[in-house]
Amino acid sequence: ALDGLRRLADGTAATAGPTVHTADAPDRAGAVWLYSGFGSQHRAMGRDMLALSPVFAESLRAVDAVVRREGGWSVLDRIGDDDFGTEAAQVTITAVQIALTDVLTAAGLRPAAVVGQSMGEIAAAYAAGGLSMEDAVTVAVHRARLMAESEAGVDDAHRGAMAVVELGAGELDELVSADPSLAGVEPAVYAAPGMTTVGGPADAVAAVVARLEAEGRFARTLNVRGAGHTSMLDPILGELWAEASQITPRPLRVPLASTVDRGRAVSYTHLRAHETSLHL
């Protein structure tokens, strides 16, 4: 990835290497900032930046104050201890993404557009101007808490699961419709035209993965115990709504693309504040 970016920067990307694809255009709009979802966490994330960047450290301290208020624990402590369970990892990913956004902005950079990948949509909403830092962190803390509580209260026979599969959304619809044993499997993230993250009952998701593997197609189960972005999380929507009821959505400054709303990955530059939505 680093080699590809270097070739892109020095203008040789189009002539060497398979990892970067370029196309001529009359006018480049600028860089798109992509905010990754759960699974991008790693040991010691944020630690070097805390030492290197005063802007990053100041931003993360401000985020940490909101996490302490809303969740009763510290992002800074978790970064220092490498202590990342699922709940803490989700919130810390958002915290680090917000702080990195502030570093880029302080350097004078602005995105031409923003893409939120799965739970990365929370920090993406901040980067696009749709949510304040406090509101974004509030959503992240309570979403992660409620998901963790929900998953802890479900036995193995009724737990959810997620997988990345080599199926377009239309192909997934056809597959599930034709086989009753796959009932409940839903698209969770529209990752690419031929790649979808699915979620649903664990047994049904496992059956989809097994079928695709038998056909020689890509399918990988994710290391999660729930099914984010699916109807399996409907029972916690009421409490999440209550926790998020005091946030104030704002008009976006740049286009924002969603990966969890089918057919809505479009420019929302003129979106009015009351039309801004949160994606569980």
Side-chain angles (χ1 to χ4, degrees):
L2 288 173
D3 176 67
L5 287 171
R6 291 189 183 102
R7 288 188 286 106
L8 188 65
D10 65 23
T12 62
T15 59
T19 59
V20 178
H21 300 276
T22 64
D24 291 333
D27 182 31
R28 292 185 300 175
V32 175
W33 294 4
L34 172 64
Y35 289 78
S36 57
F38 184 76
S40 57
Q41 70 271 16
H42 58 87
R43 292 178 62 84
M45 64 174 173
R47 190 178 297 171
D48 288 346
M49 285 296 293
L50 276 170
L52 291 171
S53 171
V55 174
F56 184 88
E58 180 182 2
S59 178
L60 208 56
R61 283 193 293 269
V63 170
D64 188 65
V66 181
V67 175
R68 288 177 181 269
R69 183 190 73 204
E70 297 294 328
W73 56 278
S74 169
V75 163
L76 291 172
D77 287 349
R78 299 300 173 94
I79 290 176
D81 295 338
D82 270 344
D83 182 12
F84 296 119
T86 299
E87 179 180 353
Q90 289 190 5
V91 177
T92 307
I93 289 169
T94 301
V96 168
Q97 289 176 339
I98 287 173
L100 288 173
T101 300
D102 290 346
V103 170
L104 295 172
T105 302
L109 302 174
R110 298 291 185 273
V114 174
V115 178
Q117 165 71 9
S118 188
M119 62 156 286
E121 289 211 7
I122 300 173
Y126 169 74
L131 291 177
S132 69
M133 180 277 288
E134 287 205 6
D135 285 351
V137 175
T138 296
V139 171
V141 169
H142 292 295
R143 176 187 184 276
R145 174 183 62 81
L146 290 167
M147 288 184 68
E149 291 174 356
S150 175
E151 292 170 10
V154 174
D155 59 34
D156 287 342
H158 298 91
R159 69 180 180 87
M162 301 181 74
V164 181
V165 298
E166 189 181 343
L167 288 173
E171 292 179 287
L172 177 66
D173 291 343
E174 293 175 4
L175 181 67
V176 173
S177 297
D179 188 342
S181 71
L182 306 181
V185 176
E186 307 171 33
V189 178
Y190 300 95
M195 194 73 69
T196 306
T197 300
V198 302
D203 290 345
V205 171
V208 171
V209 171
R211 176 174 299 191
L212 293 179
E213 287 179 337
E215 296 174 358
R217 304 177 75 175
F218 179 86
R220 177 177 298 168
T221 303
L222 302 181
N223 186 25
V224 297
R225 188 181 165 80
H229 314 304
T230 74
S231 59
M232 293 192 74
L233 294 184
D234 285 357
I236 69 173
L237 283 175
E239 189 171 348
L240 180 64
W241 175 259
E243 296 288 2
S245 61
Q246 299 304 310
I247 70 172
T248 305
R250 304 182 299 192
L252 303 182
R253 296 190 297 265
V254 298
L256 174 65
S258 167
T259 61
V260 300
D261 269 347
R262 186 173 188 171
R264 292 181 60 188
V266 296
S267 169
Y268 292 146
T269 307
H270 304 295
L271 191 70
R272 295 191 299 274
H274 72 272
E275 292 176 319
T276 301
S277 61
L278 298 174
H279 309 302
L280 188 63

